[in-house]
Each structure stands twice: as C-alpha cells, then as structure tokens.
Amino acid sequence: MAYGRCPMPSPPPEFPKPMTRLRTLLVGLDAAGWEFINPLLERGELPALQNLMANGRWGTLASTMPALTPAAWSSIITGKNPGKHGIFDMTRRRPGRYDFAPVSAAARQGTPFWQRLNEAGIRVGLVNIPFTYPPDEVDGFVVCGFGAPGSVPNLAYPPAAMTWINKRSPDFEPAVLAELLRSGDHERIFAVETAHQSRFVEIALGLAERTPVDVLAINLMLLDHANHKMPDMARIERAIRRLDDDLAQLIDGFVPDVVLAISDHGSRRVKGDFLLHAWLRDEGCLVQAKRPSTEQAEALNWILHQWLAEARGLTGVIEKLSRRFWRGVVPRLPADLADKFWARVEAAIPFARDEVMFGDKLDVAQTRIYPGAAYSGLIYVNRQGREPRGIVPETEEAALLAQIRDKLLKLTDPDDGAPLFSQVYLGADIHDGRLAEWGPGLVIDFYDSAWNIQTSLRRGTQVEQARGRYFVANTKDFGHHGRDGIFAFAGPMFGRGTLAEPGTLMDVPATLLHLYDVPIPEDWDGRSLTELMTPGFLADHPPQTQPGDSETAVLTEDDYSAAETDQIFDHLRALGYVD
Ligand SMILES: [Zn+2]
C-alpha cells in the first residue's frame, strides 16, 4: 500500500506475515514543529502530511538537548544519547585543544542503524542525512549533504552513485554555498535552497530506482535554513508548503509501504541575541587575552570608524578627520572623561571598549568556563587534568556549575522581565556514556526564549541595536530551533491518532529496526514505539534485542584537512553557528 496525496482506503488491521521487502521511507522534515505547521494544516495546505496523519499516528518527538542538527541526527543514526555518540554541538572538542573541529561521521561513535539493517539483509539508501561524510560503505547507497565539505570527490557511495550524480548534476554541491547565505539576498537564497532540496529528492528517487533499497532515508532542510535566514513568516510558510510538496513527491516516487516522517527539532522566531560570552566575562569566568598596544590602536581605529561612519553617518574626509582626532585624544583622556566617552560609543556599539582592550582569544590560564559554538547554549569547564591548561579542580567543578546555573536562571528578558531560560541542565544529568566526560558542564534550554544564545566574541562589537547590557537585536538570523520535533508514521502496522506522551528521537531507529524484525541493540537509549502499533502486529512481531557495541568509544583526533575544515566552518559561519 502506498501513501500518496489522494484519499486512500484504510490499511488492513493485521499485517501479513512474513514481512518481506517492506518499503520504508524515512523522511526528515528538518526543523518542523507543530507551532509552525498547525496553521497550514488548518487551512488544508499540507495535503501529504495531512494524509499521513489521517491514516497513521502522529505526535511530538523530544529532540536532544541541545536541539541541534548534528547532536539530534547522531542520536537518530545511533539510537544513543550524545554522551555515547560524542556529538554535542555544531562543532566538537579535540583532546588537548581549546579550538573546535567540524563534526564528521568519523567522529561519531556507535554503530549506525543502517549497519544493523544491512546485517539483516535490508538495503538502505541515505540522502542528505546530516554529517554522514565520509560516506559508509553501505549495502545500498549514501549521498552526503549537510556538514560535508564541498571540495571532496567522494560525496557518495558507491562511487558509481557519484558518477551518476555528476552526470546529471555537474554542479552538485552538498550544501548551498556560504557566499549566498551571507549575501542577504532573501529571494535568491530561498530559490537556491528550494532547488537544492528538489535536487536531493530527484537524486534519492533516481538512485533508489537504479539501486533498489528497502529503506530510503532523506533529510529535507529548506525549512531549517529558511527559518534561520528569512525575515518574514510568509517565506517560512512557503518553505513548509514546499516541504509538503517534496514529501508528496517522495511518496509518489518511492511508493513506500511505511512512511516515517520526523523532524530532528522544531523552529521558533527570535528577537536577537543574548551575549553569553560577554555575560561570562562580566561574571569573571571567562578571560580574554589582552591585545598588545599596537593592536589596541588598530582596534580603536576600527571601532571609531564603525561609530563615526555607521552610527553617526559621517563620510569621506569629515569621517577621516574626526577619526584622527579621536584616535589621538581617546588614549589620553582622564578616567572620568574616558568613561563618558565610552558610554556614548557603547550606546551604539555595546562592547566597544572591551573590543579595544581584548583580542578574540581566550586567556586559558585564567578562564574557568567557556562557551561552545554559537546558538548551542553549551558551557564547558576548563577542568584541571582534562583540558591542557585546565584550572578548575574537579572537586570544585560542581559548586562552580551550580553557581553559574543559578545566575543564568535569574536572568530575565529585557522587554518583559520574564525568565530568560526555562531550564539549565547539568551535562552530567542529561548525557550518559563514556563520552559524556567530554561533553558540556551546563546545557542551557533557551528554546522557549525569544533570544538566541550568541557566543562569538565579536558579536556586540559593531553598531548594534543594544537592548540592555547583554542583548542585541538581530540583524541576520531571524529564527532558531524549537525544542521538540514532530512525527507522523503511516503503515499497516500502525494504529491511528495522536500519541499523548512524546517519544524521543532515539526511538525512531529502534522503531525502524522493529518493523524489520531486527533486534534492537541493548545499549540503545531509544525503544520501539510499540504503543503506536496494532496488537496484531505486536503479537506476530515481538521486539527483540541484540548485544550493543563493545565499549570502545574514544574522543578522536581531527579527521579533516585544514582546507576542508575551513570550508565547513565557512558554511557554518554563514549559518551563524561559528565565529
Ligand atoms: Zn535540524
């Protein structure tokens, strides 16, 4: 039975045994959350999703904490929490280093679900599943997308799949180019992202025709990128309608028996950024290295230019002469006048004075706590014996984290005085596994907040619309992730209606294995969502278990070349995730 756009008869109550060659479409509706989707459903504008919901089960899926694509998809891929697979953030830590490396499939620990399916003879096609580069040698095919460097030749497995893609799309790129994302040309970004998603749909269907697979998994990212980059809700809704069209095309083209539509997290709109790094600096936890005096003079010149040209509208010779005047005067001002001068500048450039004093490197010998990537809400402890220049003894870590956590929970929205964060978790409470040791000390749940968390040391050092000391109105990213994702499952083994208690993302691969009678590994944190299934199916197909991975998880060294790292970071920078 295929799930198309047209109304269809009810599935049979009992699933026939044995299940051979069951065709499953696992489709990621990246960043889809009910809050954005419901108005369109009510207007009847999402026929494909509506049809799945009417003929299957649907509800909310709790994302990982943090609700970031790499952490969330790594949990879908491995069935495990980030403490086991080791991917917590948009970037990842390396042993003995303070700088972060790009996330890659090589850094992810744990056997992916497709390997477990392959071992049972079930063939899998994977298209644009985030952070699957370098591609696994699967029985089926893999096409890498989001998170892969653009310059490498092996974006797909088997090599014949890459040859086929290159023939059909000689300009194939795993993700939309960073320059375009930075351009601010909203219509063009939207058009290119839309075409990019369509191309992945065509590639998935084309490869599935050439290399038949039982499970076709694809992630669609237009909505996620539109929510980050588009200034208005009208375009977000266009992205959601497009997502539904592409879902319909996948269903019509692949003709699955089972559709598992999921999202790795939801979406929300934001007003601007909370400057976590500046707050940690004011709290005395984070210390930036001081600039040498020549660099301070350069930084002063740059700040003055920002202030005079951008904030005060001076141009040409007038701006240059004013800048020269202030450049000479400011370093010699007596303290009280200096304070007055900087207060004026900081009305437009919130952290102008600090920017002149401090560079963009941490003074790790004095830093006790430092943040993860932008928009992650993660906080790391500079722990003695773990970090190369760690200063916080392990015995003092709990008290330090508790103190910071309390202060974070007392912060309020500058507009309405409401609490800024709904929860701040201890990493140790929510991440469990051998790699939790390398995870964040604190995870801020900012997914109910109208403010993003910014950790770039440079944010707040240009002309910004400041709102209170630690808040700046947004100029580039208009939305960020919501905490919870969604699911809509349709197929003969599923009942109907919604699920009151939300499952988690980690239940998705366990449910998928169960559909194929593949035992679920004992070390998986997810479980099959049996409450969605019919009693008849469960009687014939009781869930089984198999041994998990041997405990070999380790934090790995860098697996990208410098050029590949630059390229991936350039893309993440264009999306706002790294500095
Ligand atoms: Zn995502």
Side-chain angles (χ1 to χ4, degrees):
M1 171 162 312
Y3 287 83
R5 266 191 277 195
C6 309
M8 42 181 229
S10 308
E14 298 298 310
F15 191 79
K17 220 179 137 183
M19 285 194 309
T20 49
R21 315 324 282 179
L22 185 74
R23 286 166 77 79
T24 299
L25 174 68
L26 171 64
V27 53
L29 314 173
D30 203 295
W34 292 119
E35 202 183 318
F36 279 20
I37 283 177
N38 278 337
L40 286 93
L41 279 174
E42 279 159 25
R43 297 198 295 265
E45 292 174 358
L46 306 175
L49 182 62
Q50 203 141 20
N51 194 31
L52 288 181
M53 291 164 68
N55 290 288
R57 308 293 307 249
W58 53 277
T60 298
L61 275 183
S63 188
T64 44
M65 186 60 66
L68 289 171
T69 303
W73 268 100
S74 297
S75 285
I76 298 170
I77 290 169
T78 62
K80 299 179 183 188
N81 86 91
K84 289 181 184 166
H85 61 62
I87 310 292
F88 299 91
D89 201 343
M90 294 303 295
T91 54
R92 66 187 193 88
R93 308 213 297 170
R94 289 173 287 185
R97 306 275 295 259
Y98 287 97
D99 56 338
F100 290 74
V103 165
S104 79
R108 186 187 61 230
Q109 306 290 313
T111 306
F113 72 76
W114 50 83
Q115 194 176 319
R116 299 291 186 181
L117 290 171
N118 280 173
E119 284 161 6
I122 294 136
R123 306 184 78 196
V124 182
L126 305 161
V127 175
N128 196 33
I129 301 302
F131 301 92
T132 43
Y133 180 84
D136 276 2
E137 297 185 5
V138 294
D139 183 8
F141 56 85
V142 190
V143 180
C144 302
F146 185 65
S151 57
V152 293
N154 61 328
L155 286 166
Y157 181 88
M162 198 66 238
T163 310
W164 182 82
I165 291 167
N166 283 334
K167 237 182 243 164
R168 286 179 58 100
S169 310
D171 55 345
F172 174 77
E173 293 280 347
V176 169
L177 297 177
E179 300 93 87
L180 177 67
L181 292 174
R182 270 196 294 267
S183 70
D185 183 344
H186 299 125
E187 262 316 297
R188 194 161 152 64
I189 295 171
F190 192 91
V192 174
E193 287 278 5
T194 303
H196 191 70
Q197 177 161 297
S198 296
R199 181 177 290 181
F200 274 128
V201 170
E202 283 161 24
I203 286 173
L205 292 176
L207 284 175
E209 213 173 280
R210 290 170 55 89
T211 311
V213 287
D214 305 298
V215 176
L216 177 62
I218 177 171
N219 190 38
L220 305 175
M221 293 199 74
L222 169 65
L223 170 59
D224 180 77
H225 292 180
N227 184 47
H228 281 292
K229 291 294 169 194
M230 294 297 132
D232 51 89
M233 204 55 200
R235 267 178 282 214
I236 309 297
E237 295 204 336
R238 258 168 69 194
I240 297 172
R241 284 192 291 271
R242 184 65 196 212
L243 187 62
D244 196 72
D245 285 347
D246 285 336
L247 172 63
Q249 207 188 322
L250 284 163
I251 293 170
D252 291 347
F254 188 61
V255 200
D257 306 289
V258 176
V259 179
L260 306 177
I262 58 161
S263 63
D264 52 341
H265 50 78
S267 291
R268 73 188 206 284
R269 301 299 272 176
V270 292
K271 296 191 279 197
D273 290 345
F274 167 69
L275 306 177
L276 177 64
H277 62 285
W279 183 83
L280 287 171
R281 189 170 56 199
D282 284 359
E283 289 294 322
C285 295
L286 176 154
V287 180
Q288 278 170 258
K290 271 218 169 109
R291 294 184 188 278
S293 57
T294 49
E295 221 182 82
Q296 283 192 14
E298 275 169 39
L300 174 63
N301 186 53
W302 184 79
I303 286 284
L304 288 171
H305 173 68
Q306 295 284 312
W307 181 56
L308 295 166
E310 303 290 327
R312 308 191 68 195
L314 303 186
T315 53
V317 176
I318 308 276
E319 188 269 330
K320 268 195 189 136
L321 286 174
S322 304
R323 181 149 40 106
R324 187 186 298 168
F325 168 76
W326 286 113
R327 221 166 49 203
V329 166
V330 172
R332 290 200 292 273
L333 286 174
D336 55 336
L337 285 180
D339 288 347
K340 276 190 188 140
F341 168 80
W342 283 114
R344 268 177 75 188
V345 175
E346 290 191 344
I349 306 174
F351 291 93
R353 197 174 194 174
D354 283 340
E355 174 63 10
V356 172
M357 294 286 292
F358 302 106
D360 58 6
K361 294 250 178 323
L362 292 180
D363 178 350
V364 289
Q366 295 190 69
T367 290
R368 290 182 295 155
I369 275 181
Y370 56 100
Y375 305 165
S376 70
L378 303 187
I379 286 178
Y380 293 97
V381 175
N382 191 19
R383 187 199 291 167
Q384 242 172 38
R386 182 183 61 187
E387 270 77 355
R389 298 181 66 193
I391 59 169
V392 178
E394 209 172 338
T395 48
E396 289 171 24
E397 189 172 323
L400 175 65
L401 290 175
Q403 184 195 351
I404 294 299
R405 181 177 178 272
D406 285 352
K407 287 186 172 175
L408 285 166
L409 285 169
K410 288 199 181 95
L411 291 170
T412 54
D413 186 315
D415 294 336
D416 58 17
L420 189 59
F421 303 127
S422 42
Q423 189 54 268
V424 178
Y425 297 99
L426 288 172
D429 286 347
I430 56 170
H431 299 142
D432 158 48
R434 280 174 64 129
L435 294 173
E437 155 80 3
W438 291 94
L442 292 176
V443 181
I444 303 172
D445 180 350
F446 62 111
Y447 300 99
D448 296 313
S449 169
W451 300 92
N452 252 342
I453 290 187
Q454 184 54 260
T455 55
S456 160
L457 296 169
R458 288 188 202 125
R459 190 84 164 100
T461 62
Q462 294 178 30
V463 174
E464 310 259 20
Q465 204 188 326
R467 306 264 285 278
R469 180 159 173 79
Y470 302 112
F471 298 84
V472 289
N474 231 345
T475 52
K476 286 186 301 227
D477 269 28
F478 302 95
H480 187 52
H481 301 175
R483 184 176 31 231
D484 294 323
I486 67 165
F487 77 87
F489 292 174
M493 69 291 293
F494 294 115
R496 302 289 176 83
T498 188
L499 175 69
E501 287 294 309
T504 83
L505 287 180
M506 296 179 291
D507 300 335
V508 174
T511 304
L512 176 61
L513 260 56
H514 184 191
L515 299 188
Y516 286 90
D517 286 326
V518 175
I520 298 160
E522 280 156 358
D523 61 344
W524 280 21
D525 296 309
R527 61 180 186 87
S528 174
L529 292 167
T530 49
E531 62 272 43
L532 303 180
M533 297 168 183
T534 62
F537 176 83
L538 288 172
D540 290 346
H541 306 272
Q544 306 159 62
T545 57
Q546 61 172 311
D549 296 313
S550 50
E551 278 283 329
T552 53
V554 283
L555 194 67
T556 51
E557 292 293 339
D558 212 357
D559 28 62
Y560 279 124
S561 72
E564 288 163 359
T565 298
D566 284 350
Q567 209 174 33
I568 295 168
F569 273 178
D570 194 38
H571 190 249
L572 293 179
R573 199 172 292 122
L575 281 170
Y577 285 111
V578 297
D579 195 6

